[in-house]
Amino acid sequence: MDLTCDDVISVIAEHLAGRISRAQVAAWAFDQFYRLEQDELNVPPDEEAVIRDALDDLMFADDEPFILSEVELRQLMDRLAQV
């Protein structure tokens, strides 16, 4: 399976639109991060670093000290879109 910056952006957008919860985003990000670590995901080499960083930020996004604001989520989307 492949994972791109656009995929991560889509999940964040779904959350911002109210279609998936913060907990669902965190669980999805954790699963993707684990699959990436296990070499079960293909990511474009030029996107890997930003995807790893984004997943790292998102997988704890349901834990109070690490919750990302809407502004921070939009900044993350912008960072992903620039790759």
Side-chain angles (χ1 to χ4, degrees), residues 5-82:
C5 286
D6 288 341
D7 297 323
V8 181
I9 290 169
S10 293
V11 170
I12 297 169
E14 287 292 302
H15 170 64
L16 290 174
R19 290 187 279 274
I20 61 175
S21 70
R22 185 180 298 130
Q24 288 171 303
V25 172
W28 175 86
F30 179 84
D31 290 344
Q32 301 314 304
F33 190 85
Y34 180 78
R35 293 176 71 209
L36 188 56
E37 288 293 306
Q38 297 298 313
D39 292 323
E40 295 175 4
L41 280 178
N42 297 314
V43 297
D46 59 326
E47 296 181 17
E48 185 171 356
V50 72
I51 287 173
R52 283 183 181 275
D53 288 345
L55 293 175
D56 188 49
D57 288 343
L58 293 170
M59 68 183 173
F60 299 108
D62 62 339
D63 191 13
E64 189 63 41
F66 304 105
I67 290 175
L68 299 174
S69 69
E70 181 176 343
V71 170
E72 291 169 319
L73 288 169
R74 292 193 184 284
Q75 290 171 341
L76 183 54
M77 291 171 74
D78 288 343
R79 229 176 28 232
L80 287 159
Q82 293 176 8

